[in-house]
Amino acid sequence: MAVSFPGGPAAAPGPDDPLALLSACHGRIARQCATLARLAAHLPAHGSDAAAQTAATSVRRYFDTAAAHHHEDEEEDLFPALIDSMAGSDAVCLHALVDGLLADHRHLAGLWEPLRETLSEIAAGRPAQLPAQQVQTFTEAYEAHIRREEDELLPMAARLIPDDALAAIGQAMKARRGGEAG
């Protein structure tokens, strides 16, 4: 467990607590969505200036790497471990939850791609606009997805997945990031 000093920021969760790590990632996703919304508001008055380029590069990098790893963590490790934890049971609600979250991931990827293309233009300093409705649709879809994972998925995973399976998930998360989990 990571140590923090009184008055200092709490240490970020690591691979030894994969559910907390996934939850912390939700906070980072929400912050990137907020940056995306601020960027959309910034562009009409300032265009693809240096601040817009920096923000666009940062948001695009985050969703292309960390958010993609987050979805892989869930799809390749967490969801299967959760399903395995219910082996021998009729877990219709659990399958429905996992299937719904997988569908969310596909939907979010579809919403992300046009935003990614626009952010690439902005990052390169070319004139571009982020349609407010497109940004709002993306951020609202992510908000709903995160809320479902925080309210349903992670508490269920904490209750059902054995400690050894959680440890394996944490190690897979660390490996997926080249030894860095976060």
Side-chain angles (χ1 to χ4, degrees):
M1 199 52 50
V3 177
S4 66
F5 294 98
D16 58 325
D17 193 352
L19 299 180
L21 188 60
L22 289 168
S23 185
C25 187
H26 290 154
R28 289 188 292 275
I29 289 169
R31 286 191 295 279
Q32 292 296 325
C33 285
T35 298
L36 188 62
R38 286 192 307 276
L39 177 59
H42 173 91
L43 289 168
H46 304 282
S48 296
D49 63 2
Q53 290 173 39
T54 299
T57 298
S58 175
V59 170
R60 187 187 64 201
R61 183 181 321 117
Y62 184 83
F63 281 104
D64 282 350
T65 57
H69 288 320
H70 177 82
H71 288 187
E72 291 167 359
D73 293 339
E74 293 172 345
E75 293 175 13
E76 295 176 21
D77 301 305
L78 183 65
F79 296 167
L82 192 54
I83 297 294
D84 287 349
S85 75
M86 295 298 292
S89 300
D90 182 18
V92 174
C93 68
L94 180 59
H95 284 283
L97 174 63
V98 168
D99 290 347
L101 293 172
L102 286 167
D104 284 356
H105 288 176
R106 304 288 98 54
H107 179 67
L108 289 164
L111 294 173
W112 168 244
E113 197 50 41
L115 290 170
R116 183 187 189 286
E117 291 172 17
T118 303
L119 291 171
S120 293
E121 292 298 307
I122 296 165
R126 292 189 280 275
Q129 294 300 315
L130 281 169
Q133 185 58 50
Q134 194 176 37
V135 170
Q136 182 177 353
T137 299
F138 179 75
T139 58
E140 286 176 355
Y142 245 119
E143 287 169 5
H145 178 75
I146 288 169
R147 199 168 34 256
R148 191 164 185 207
E149 288 188 349
E150 289 289 326
D151 293 348
E152 299 176 48
L153 176 71
L154 295 179
M156 190 178 298
R159 271 194 324 275
L160 299 174
I161 299 175
D163 290 344
D164 60 332
L166 285 174
I169 290 169
Q171 290 309 306
M173 292 168 73
K174 184 176 178 179
R176 189 171 288 116
R177 290 159 179 77
E180 294 293 322

